[in-house]
Amino acid sequence: MPHFAETLLPLAIPGTYTYRVPEGMRLSIGMRVLVPFGRKKIFTGIISSLHDREPKGYDVKEILGTLDDKPVLRHPQLEFWQWIADYYLCTMGEVYKAAVPSGLKVESETTISVNPDYEESEPGQLTDRERVILDFTAQRGRVQIAEIAKATGFKTVERNVSHLLDLNALHVSERVIDNYRPKTEACVRLAIARDDEQKLHQHFDQLKRAPKQEALLLAYLDMSRWLQKGEIREVSKENLLKRSGVSAAVLHEAVKRGLFEIYKKEINRFADLGSVLEDPPVLSAEQRRAYDEIHESMRQHAITLLHGVTSSGKTSVYMHLIADALRLGKQVLYLVPEIALTTQLTRRLRRVFGDKLLIYHSKFSDNERVDIWKCLLDSSEPCVIIGVRSSVFLPYSNLGLVIVDEEHDSSYKQQDPAPRYNGRNAALVLAKMHGAKTILGSATPAIEVYHLALEGKYGLVRLLTRYGDIKMPDVKVIDTIDARKRREMSGLFSNELITDCRKALKDNEQVILFQNRRGYSPMVRCKECGWVPKCENCDVSLTYHKHNNSLVCHYCGYTISLPDLCPACQLPGIEIVGYGTERIEDDVEAVFPGEKISRMDLDTTRSKNSYDRIIDEFSQHRTNILVGTQMVTKGLDFDAVSIVGILNADTMINFPDFRSHERAFDMLEQVSGRAGRAHKQGQVIIQTSNPDHDVIKYVQAHDYEGFYQHELADRHQFGYPPFTKVINIYLKHRDDTTVGELAVRYSGLLHHVFGSRVLGPIAPFVAKVQNMYIRQITLKMETAASMAKVKKILRDLYEQMIAADTRMKAVKLYYDVDPV
């Protein structure tokens, strides 16, 4: 066996760490090991390679132990992680931290305990606060610093703890914490050997006066097949009590008598892979044509784009493709951009694929995610995994098909923390590594994706008619400036929108109202002096939330109560300005009294089952008006929606970013697609102060091709994707002057190497977040540039900067490749 192991740690540190393999320990690549790090920390490392080359110049620490007897990764996961690290300019450790569920990352936890030998050497050596900390720690035995702070209310408890450590009054230790808890089930077995018939007869004789316990025994013998040939079946406590019709107390007495034993059995949280329940839905002629063309395209291309308008039935086509892959014994990954989409899709797919369907997303508990990971690790059976972007990291063994639905969606892009990857692009690489085919589906394909499809690098299949030949929704544009002049606006609602909504509701139809701002109001100000409450930590105004009468920063979570008097002029002039979804919900109740309303935004969907509840209520007509942010735009299918109202299109269009028009077109066209999906043409009402804007006109005509050509010309003129690759470089520091100076200096180094490809530095739209001042440098690279080489150059330049100016060590520098 090799004597040294290169070990990957879940830390933002380049490279791997070398550890000595203890005598007799058998390791393989992909296994989890416990390793010491630093003076006292313990981490879960993953073996990336084994060798016999002893490092020179330092003592090599030894692996403490293994956590498994086999790898927790499959080929090609490490290769996939390396690609993400290279392309998105981050470390493998950051990818490992994001990829693996926390339950598989055992770490040490720093705890504090009292030194029993400590004595105060002189009066006054300890402050009153330090004595409180000592007393609390002594009572609890072993605590974390956060527990002390919470219990005592002291704000600077770290300083006091540090002083107590210096005085040797406290000890620090590390305790290894394993967060994963397997799901167990209580099972029952007979407390005698199977061949001991004499003992069994004795039990029956003893139970003649205990008929309920006798019923238990008879039920167990039948359920376990004790008296038949073959293996004994395990019997759960729950099923035994249900079958015998007795209480748990009766079973407890039988255990005390020595008749039964109860034991815990570890079970998977998800059902075993089962059989198909029903056939996929019958395809229309147009859907069948698209399905056949996709199969033809897959013979020539690894990637095929399905450009299908909203409500064309792309999901039905996907279901037939999934069934084909499963028949070939393959696994399928079905990616969706938002958790909300999994709610409706799961039901449709479950009816067809039964227990072959697995779901993976962040609303699942960590234990549930570990169980799905282990399920895929232990089985190569054909199955379908539906999930959001993090699903690309699961340990697939036999991946045959990847479907990326709504591939244009910006939710596929991870923003913070690193790796800042795009789930769509990562899925393309994952599929290539497995030799799988990829289907990208969208009514509004990303500009870069559509460009590659038209160039012939991807296959292209179009599905441009709605299922059942329903017409695309009629789009009506309301000029809000003109409407206000005519006094035809009630708050944020035009009279025309109100009239159309009332008619729809009277006809037992439903309405979706879209506003891409959550909260009650985006801004509060004093009408007397103009004061606007700002976040203490970020360069943004606070958003008002009515339900708890608070002002909240949507960047860092900073919260204060809404003041009664203006803090600046001390006058009662506080007023609410603008509209968020919470305020719109209130106004809708006033405009449509008696109607049942629900709201879907980040504030109402924080709990695990909140998406299901809101969608169920709307689907079953328990609510008739749905107010929401971008969540309501994404592929949701409601048969009875006839009106979609877009309350303010301007906030999406007028944003300082090269993708703003693309994002606005996508969002407006997608939310329009929620109208009139089943039986009749729907109506979309767009309220805007700029009705002649190009984006509005293309949405009104449902003209994706025209929008694409218009946008492509602008991108070509100014050198943006798909003609270049954009990398945003961010520098953050607590001092505005320092980060400004260092950004200019670093930009100069970049100019020296990359020339005119470098733009900036500039202060971004939000220039301060969580007390960190920000500068942005943009790098436009050729599309064929090697990201591994770019990464090395950027790393070398960063090291040059540190050598030239030590202040750079305090700067947080990171990269955002292909920003959206």
Side-chain angles (χ1 to χ4, degrees), residues 5 22 60 147 169 177 258 270 322 336 380 415 443 478 545 569 596 651 661 681 692 712 719 724 740-741 782 812:
V60 182
E147 290 179 76
I177 304 297
F270 304 93
I322 291 167
V336 292
S380 297
Q415 300 297 341
I478 305 292
H545 287 252
C569 66
K596 295 169 185 173
T651 54
H661 287 180
Q681 183 182 24
D692 295 323
L712 195 71
T724 59
E741 291 173 2
E782 292 78 3
K812 182 182 179 183

Side-chain angles (χ1 to χ4, degrees), residues 657-676:
D657 181 78
F658 79 92
R659 290 193 195 274
S660 63
H661 287 180
E662 181 182 6
R663 276 199 303 268
F665 178 85
D666 291 349
M667 211 172 288
L668 293 171
E669 184 65 17
Q670 289 286 340
V671 76
S672 298
R674 300 317 108 208

Side-chain angles (χ1 to χ4, degrees), residues 297-342:
S297 173
M298 289 196 296
R299 292 189 183 97
Q300 304 171 46
H301 298 93
I303 303 163
T304 298
L305 170 64
L306 174 59
H307 178 203
V309 298
T310 56
S311 197
S312 57
K314 295 187 289 294
T315 305
S316 296
V317 176
Y318 297 153
M319 289 163 83
H320 281 265
L321 295 168
I322 291 167
D324 294 342
L326 295 178
R327 277 194 291 271
L328 294 172
K330 298 292 187 180
Q331 295 172 333
V332 179
L333 171 60
Y334 191 149
L335 281 181
V336 292
E338 288 271 7
I339 296 167
L341 276 181
T342 64

